[in-house]
Amino acid sequence: MNFQFNLFNDVVETARKEMVEAGYTQLFKPEDVEEAFRKEGTTLVMINSVCGCAGGIARPSASYSVKQDVRPDHLVTVFAGQDKEATETARSYFTGYPPSSPSFALLKDGEIQMMVERHEIEGHEPMEVVNKLRSAFETYCK
């Protein structure tokens, strides 16, 4: 039993590390979210998750999508199921969208512009998700 718990923690830490290495700032507390979402400009929020199917597509998509000139000003991530209060606070900004993880939200000056929900990630190719994100960047991040 202890082995399984340690294995889960290792998976979570690996998922967190992937996002940090891709240039995303982790938001652990509601105050972190509020501060990040008050910043001017565009902010891409990645709702991280250990879900094997969708998470294994979302994290590489999060990393690859921002490797271009037109991209959000700020990259942040909250971890669903781990940083529950921070995730709840982030989701309070995503009006009109049900909770979904993993997922992406693009904010402009703290206002939701678009969302890529789990059903648009799971079962799709990573480049489909990357292209959806990049299309949003072209629309909102100029």
Side-chain angles (χ1 to χ4, degrees), residues 27 33-34 36-37 43-48 76-80 85-108 110-118:
L27 308 176
V33 173
E34 296 288 349
F37 288 12
T43 302
L44 180 63
V45 184
M46 195 281 190
I47 308 292
N48 205 347
V76 299
T77 181
V78 294
F79 209 116
E85 292 174 349
T87 302
E88 251 180 61
T89 301
R91 286 180 171 154
S92 74
Y93 284 79
F94 310 154
T95 54
Y97 296 96
S100 178
S101 59
S103 61
F104 297 92
L106 185 63
L107 305 175
K108 186 168 188 172
E111 297 290 326
I112 185 80
Q113 301 300 307
M114 65 79 66
M115 189 106 188
V116 178
E117 299 172 87
R118 178 190 175 115

Side-chain angles (χ1 to χ4, degrees), residues 34-88:
E34 296 288 349
E35 181 181 334
F37 288 12
R38 274 195 302 265
K39 292 182 179 176
E40 288 185 18
T42 52
T43 302
L44 180 63
V45 184
M46 195 281 190
I47 308 292
N48 205 347
S49 169
V50 293
C51 166
C53 300
I57 296 167
R59 283 185 296 278
S61 299
S63 176
Y64 193 75
S65 68
V66 297
K67 293 180 180 176
Q68 65 174 24
D69 291 337
V70 178
R71 56 178 261 167
D73 300 311
H74 314 285
L75 305 173
V76 299
T77 181
V78 294
F79 209 116
Q82 300 298 307
D83 306 318
K84 294 177 183 178
E85 292 174 349
T87 302
E88 251 180 61

Side-chain angles (χ1 to χ4, degrees), residues 1-47:
M1 191 69 120
N2 192 23
F3 172 74
Q4 289 176 335
F5 182 73
N6 288 338
L7 180 60
F8 181 76
N9 285 339
D10 289 345
V11 170
V12 169
E13 288 309 310
T14 299
R16 286 186 188 278
K17 184 178 176 188
E18 284 181 57
M19 296 309 299
V20 169
E21 288 176 352
Y24 289 72
T25 300
Q26 294 187 79
L27 308 176
F28 296 103
K29 301 177 295 193
E31 300 80 31
D32 299 338
V33 173
E34 296 288 349
E35 181 181 334
F37 288 12
R38 274 195 302 265
K39 292 182 179 176
E40 288 185 18
T42 52
T43 302
L44 180 63
V45 184
M46 195 281 190
I47 308 292

